[in-house]
Amino acid sequence: MSGAKALMNSLEKEGVDIVFGLPGGANLPIYDALVDAKFRHVLVRHEQSAAHMADGYARIKRKAGVCLATSGPGATNLITGIATAYADSSPLIAITGQVPLNMIGKDAFQETDIIGVANPCTKYAFQPRYATEIPEVVKKSFYIAESGRPGPVLIDIPKDVQQDVTEIPFPDLIKVRGYKPIVDPDLSNVGKAVELLVSAQQPIIMAGGGVILSGAFSELQAVAELIMAPVVTTFKGKGAFPENHPLAMGPIGMHGHAEANRIILEADCILAVGARFSDRSVGRFDEFGKGMNIIHLDIDPAEIGKNKSVDIAIVGDVKSALRTMAKMLSKVAVKKNTENPWLKRRRELIDYFSQNIKDYPREVTARKALKKLRELLPAESIVTTEVGQCQMWTSLHFDVISPGTFFSSTGLGTMGFGFPASIGAKAARPDVHVVDVAGDGSFNMTENSLAVSVLENLPVIVFLLNNDMLGMVAQWQRTFYDRRYMGVHQKSCPDYVKIAEAYGASGFSVQSMDELEKAIKSALKTEVATVIDIRIDPEEDVYPFVAPGTGLKDMITGA
Amino acid sequence: MSSRELKSKPLYIISSLVENKPGVLFRITNLFRARNFNIESITVGITEKPDLSRMTITTRIDEAILDQLVKQLRKLIDIVEVEVLDINNTVYRELALIKIRAKDFTNRNEIINFANVFRANILDIGKESVTVEVIGTPDKIDAFKNLIIQYDIVEMARTGVSALQRGE
Ligand SMILES: Cc1ncc(C[n+]2csc(CCOP(=O)(O)OP(=O)(O)O)c2C)c(N)n1
Ligand SMILES: [Mg+2]
């Protein structure tokens, strides 16, 4: 059996049903073996998009997505996608071709030390040197990528190793002795946390991406309801908790919901679940959480105390820890009524801030468009975003109802992520609608994935909030640089409806709410990718805003 | 951080067992760089087991940073074991080779006398210099260096610390 064939068999054994990639000289043997593989290959138009597609697939399937590229430029093109997955703890397997072993280190044609390049943004990287190692390497890669705190793993396979024909064993069991993800939480710490939570008068839950990664939705809801704690999320955790739930407060952070940013300052005890206290979420580390008891539950021990020292740390799988916590709580928690002062305060803040929203004198604003989308889109649809104002508006104005149906490039903030990732999500869940809420600048970066969406029959909706601007940058220039605009104007180029049509997708240009409603309804019916080009005010700002280097208390609401 | 500030912090010795294969040291040093960890010395060598190397790191940092450093090291898949050694219950040594300028007889004699006091070995005597080997804790080597610095140090090579927990 050849190394490449062993690779295919190994991927099949891992249950892979789709891979995203693009061939080249150094992975030709892999592509030859793909002809007979049992899973689907999706040809991309740029390797970055292959990584984003595999990432989007992984985030919805909650198992590793796979992307392929050749050596050198193919491999380096993957890097933005790998770094994006790393920043958001997404399980990704990137398989690159490499120059033959005897050429490594000779600066051969299309040789890049991709292991060196990828090191800071992968959980691990392998370079099998014998074809016989391939099955073991693949098995280890999936294990490492998917377990503990998930993340990307690179497999860099020299061409001659792909070609080698030899007897290749397939191991049933593998062991990685230096890798010991902690799964079972320390029960005594869970007990202490329960005591603290029960005695707190103003408890709050901060749910992060870890809740989504472990699929701990019902467990989180159970704990929240037992202690009647309002639930805020980080941006990565958006949709970890149904945003129409009576305890939901939405995301906190730089562009968090005003009421969420406010209530968290008033809490006396915070249960942070699968969250990492990022600067984007909590503002200043030194200010955040002063005078509160902090309970931190996370699967990654290195997150404990990294940004914030805490009172009780629980290391383990979020789902099993919350389940245990709910069990303990159900024995001791006294059912609080919904009229208690803390929940009244929650209502008060929501009412106050809902009256204090800056509006724009234009028929279609980002806010109104997103509310309309929510109204028309079935709850179980999957929504992702690009990066910039479009992303933050989605966080603010689009409520995720069905847990785990929202994701975005939150850690790295990669423009161009959303569209290919939505195609990957569609591959994972062909039965539901998938929408990418896009900005014009971001969509422009990976719009060539329209070819993939159309040809591979993976239709998604691009909900393009077109301000003809690199809007988020423009907002900062408006706010912090005295409106001295530089490098932000898109000058109505290209015409996105024509772009859609050029690829065989459908496109709508929208100027009124009426047209928007029609376009959404039609997109939900068609079988082909649709770009809805929604013209909005180039100066519509995102508020609230917690400026960098300031604390949540310094939030500017803009109203 | 100034070197004085650094010296005022306690010395920590981290001992770890790592996979003995290519690329491991790169991953570890890259971690130090990416996360801005301040390392004083790092030594790597083979152990009694052919597939494991022992890596010893010394550093003077705050306890909270030490905690992060250890946790981040543990996360590296090629690191099999990491522990912070209890200095009071640890034997640790460093070796230094110091080439000292010594042009005349008196100088040379003085240096040889100092070396004797420190149980240091004279490895080489040339027309212009004396080369001394000192073995001991980093503090002892510092003390010797501070003594002979008056003669002008031509070159110095230090190995970094190797350490083992004391036996039961
Ligand atoms: C790859 C990449 N380059 C640059 C940036 C910096 N950046 C952040 S938001 C933004 C503007 C995005 O413009 P657009 O997609 O039109 O979204 P808008 O803010 O207008 O809604 C830029 C350039 C980034 N996040 N990613
Ligand atoms: Mg824009």
Side-chain angles (χ1 to χ4, degrees):
Chain A
M1 182 186 297
S2 73
K5 174 75 179 137
L7 176 67
M8 297 305 129
N9 288 1
S10 304
L11 294 174
E12 280 161 13
K13 278 183 200 292
E14 294 300 323
V16 170
D17 56 11
I18 192 166
V19 298
F20 306 88
L22 200 147
N27 66 355
L28 272 170
I30 293 178
Y31 269 76
D32 184 57
L34 264 171
V35 173
D36 304 315
K38 293 205 184 81
F39 47 82
R40 179 176 174 191
H41 172 262
V42 168
L43 173 63
V44 298
R45 299 298 166 108
H46 190 292
E47 291 87 350
Q48 179 188 344
S49 295
H52 292 328
M53 284 176 201
D55 184 351
Y57 173 91
R59 293 193 204 207
I60 292 304
K61 265 268 159 89
R62 267 187 263 125
K63 70 195 220 31
V66 181
C67 57
L68 310 174
T70 188
S71 66
T76 54
N77 271 353
L78 285 180
I79 291 294
T80 301
I82 295 174
T84 303
Y86 187 71
D88 281 345
S89 312
S90 183
L92 177 73
I93 307 283
I95 303 172
T96 49
Q98 182 57 279
V99 300
L101 281 172
N102 64 350
M103 298 301 285
I104 290 182
K106 310 277 192 256
D107 298 323
F109 176 66
Q110 296 198 328
E111 179 189 1
T112 299
D113 168 23
I114 201 65
I115 302 235
V117 175
N119 176 269
C121 54
T122 44
K123 205 168 160 186
Y124 200 67
F126 290 97
Q127 190 179 67
R129 294 181 158 252
Y130 303 95
T132 49
E133 289 174 41
I134 288 176
E136 184 185 328
V137 159
V138 171
K139 214 171 170 60
K140 283 182 177 171
S141 298
F142 276 79
Y143 168 55
I144 291 170
E146 293 178 340
S147 60
R149 179 183 187 161
V153 174
L154 172 74
I155 309 176
D156 188 41
I157 315 180
K159 190 171 183 181
D160 49 344
V161 178
Q162 301 168 34
Q163 269 159 337
D164 263 359
V165 177
T166 161
E167 185 88 17
I168 298 181
F170 287 79
D172 290 325
L173 278 176
I174 43 119
K175 200 169 161 268
V176 188
R177 62 179 165 181
Y179 180 63
K180 305 167 197 101
I182 300 166
V183 176
D184 297 326
D186 179 338
L187 287 184
S188 78
N189 285 351
V190 179
K192 281 187 216 148
V194 163
E195 266 171 49
L196 256 187
L197 286 169
V198 170
S199 63
Q201 297 301 307
Q202 281 145 246
I204 199 155
I205 295 176
M206 176 170 107
V211 176
I212 299 173
L213 285 167
S214 72
F217 309 119
S218 58
E219 290 80 2
L220 175 69
Q221 203 167 320
V223 168
E225 287 168 3
L226 280 162
I227 55 171
M228 283 299 223
V231 179
V232 301
T233 67
T234 62
F235 180 44
K236 173 102 197 290
K238 183 177 172 72
F241 192 73
E243 295 193 293
N244 61 348
H245 188 281
L247 291 169
M249 299 291 283
I252 53 165
M254 177 175 276
H255 292 295
H257 292 200
E259 55 271 22
N261 279 345
R262 195 48 58 82
I263 199 164
I264 200 165
L265 298 176
E266 298 177 14
D268 60 359
C269 179
I270 165 171
L271 171 63
V273 190
R276 61 187 173 94
F277 298 94
S278 81
D279 55 325
R280 280 271 154 145
S281 292
V282 306
R284 296 174 59 116
F285 303 137
D286 53 344
E287 265 180 39
F288 182 83
K290 264 214 179 114
M292 290 179 212
N293 286 310
I294 302 181
I295 303 161
H296 190 185
L297 162 54
D298 203 281
I299 198 159
D300 182 357
E303 284 305 337
I304 309 290
K306 186 182 86 183
N307 290 352
K308 192 75 217 157
S309 59
V310 298
D311 300 281
I312 297 173
I314 306 166
V315 177
D317 172 51
V318 164
K319 194 177 172 92
S320 81
L322 285 178
R323 191 184 298 134
T324 311
M325 198 176 270
K327 235 182 249 158
M328 289 185 182
L329 277 167
S330 64
K331 294 200 188 101
V332 291
V334 195
K335 189 96 184 144
K336 286 184 195 152
N337 87 45
T338 45
E339 286 311 299
N340 80 68
W342 182 226
L343 292 184
K344 267 199 182 139
R345 178 67 183 147
R346 170 186 172 272
R347 204 50 268 160
E348 209 173 277
L349 285 168
I350 290 176
D351 290 344
Y352 172 77
F353 286 111
S354 68
Q355 323 247 297
N356 280 278
I357 288 177
K358 179 161 176 171
D359 221 337
Y360 290 81
R362 191 162 171 134
E363 187 182 337
V364 185
T365 62
R367 191 169 71 88
K368 282 189 258 175
L370 284 160
K371 298 261 177 217
K372 181 55 76 183
L373 178 66
R374 176 67 292 168
E375 195 188 306
L376 299 175
L377 198 63
E380 70 281 5
S381 309
I382 293 162
V383 172
T384 180
T385 76
E386 297 297 344
V387 170
Q389 291 180 307
C390 51
Q391 182 182 35
M392 295 305 140
W393 282 319
T394 311
S395 175
L396 286 163
H397 308 308
F398 183 90
D399 286 343
V400 177
I401 295 165
S402 178
T405 56
F406 174 81
F407 66 89
S408 181
S409 169
T410 62
L412 204 67
T414 306
M415 287 170 71
F417 166 80
F419 180 47
S422 71
I423 294 172
K426 184 73 184 178
R429 282 295 305 275
D431 56 319
V432 299
H433 294 290
V434 181
V435 179
D436 171 37
V437 180
D440 43 321
S442 302
F443 181 53
N444 215 176
M445 287 199 175
T446 51
E447 71 197 11
N448 60 12
S449 291
L450 276 167
V452 181
S453 179
V454 170
L455 295 176
E456 294 284 340
N457 191 26
L458 294 167
V460 300
I461 301 171
V462 180
F463 196 75
L464 182 60
L465 297 172
N466 188 350
N467 51 11
D468 201 20
M469 279 271 186
L470 298 176
M472 183 56 93
V473 178
Q475 177 173 345
W476 285 52
Q477 291 179 344
R478 211 155 37 243
T479 313
F480 302 116
Y481 297 90
D482 200 21
R483 304 181 83 87
R484 285 160 53 87
Y485 291 126
M486 182 65 208
V488 291
H489 296 287
Q490 303 286 86
K491 305 189 179 161
S492 297
C493 184
D495 176 332
Y496 288 100
V497 171
K498 282 192 186 146
I499 289 274
E501 286 165 354
Y503 282 101
S506 64
F508 295 93
S509 175
V510 162
Q511 313 266 5
S512 70
M513 289 305 285
D514 221 33
E515 286 171 359
L516 177 64
E517 179 153 347
K518 279 196 197 116
I520 297 173
K521 283 183 174 159
S522 142
L524 290 175
K525 270 190 241 122
T526 57
E527 301 277 293
V528 69
T530 308
V531 178
I532 308 178
D533 182 4
I534 308 160
R535 292 313 175 96
I536 57 169
D537 190 329
E539 296 207 352
E540 186 174 343
D541 283 318
V542 184
Y543 282 116
F545 189 11
V546 179
T550 70
L552 296 183
K553 68 172 184 1
D554 308 307
M555 171 178 69
I556 312 160
T557 61
Chain B
M1 219 181 303
S2 73
S3 63
R4 178 165 304 148
E5 261 176 88
L6 270 178
K7 284 286 174 208
S8 68
K9 296 198 168 142
L11 177 78
Y12 291 108
I13 303 178
I14 301 163
S15 178
S16 62
L17 289 172
V18 306
E19 297 285 353
N20 179 12
K21 59 183 188 195
V24 175
L25 198 57
F26 163 69
R27 287 200 175 95
I28 295 166
T29 49
N30 211 23
L31 170 78
F32 297 155
R33 183 195 53 76
R35 296 209 180 251
N36 232 340
F37 289 127
N38 234 314
I39 299 303
E40 208 163 87
S41 78
I42 176 166
T43 65
V44 190
I46 55 170
T47 63
E48 72 283 4
K49 300 189 186 83
D51 54 345
L52 286 176
S53 304
R54 182 175 300 280
M55 183 180 73
T56 310
I57 301 162
T58 63
T59 173
R60 294 175 196 272
I61 46 181
D62 293 330
E63 232 182 297
I65 301 175
L66 176 75
D67 180 57
Q68 257 303 300
L69 172 54
V70 170
K71 283 174 174 168
Q72 293 294 346
L73 285 171
R74 273 203 188 115
K75 255 174 95 161
L76 290 184
I77 288 163
D78 289 324
I79 296 200
V80 178
E81 222 178 273
V82 187
E83 64 180 327
V84 180
L85 300 179
D86 170 6
I87 289 259
N88 300 318
N89 198 22
T90 297
V91 283
Y92 60 105
R93 288 291 179 269
E94 184 178 6
L95 181 148
L97 300 178
I98 311 178
K99 190 188 287 170
I100 307 155
R101 193 170 315 281
K103 287 199 172 149
D104 59 45
F105 184 73
T106 342
N107 280 175
R108 259 178 249 173
N109 259 354
E110 279 169 3
I111 292 167
I112 290 165
N113 277 340
F114 285 138
N116 284 338
V117 174
F118 277 79
R119 301 214 191 118
N121 294 321
I122 309 297
L123 297 188
D124 181 47
I125 298 186
K127 275 202 186 110
E128 307 255 304
S129 65
V130 178
T131 301
V132 183
E133 168 203 68
V134 204
I135 298 172
T137 63
D139 283 350
K140 175 179 162 181
I141 295 174
D142 284 344
F144 181 74
K145 189 194 83 187
N146 290 338
L147 255 183
I148 50 87
I149 206 157
Q150 51 178 316
Y151 304 105
D152 195 8
I153 297 173
V154 184
E155 271 184 314
M156 175 165 83
R158 290 175 73 152
T159 57
V161 171
S162 279
L164 283 178
Q165 199 93 50
R166 284 182 194 278
E168 293 301 289

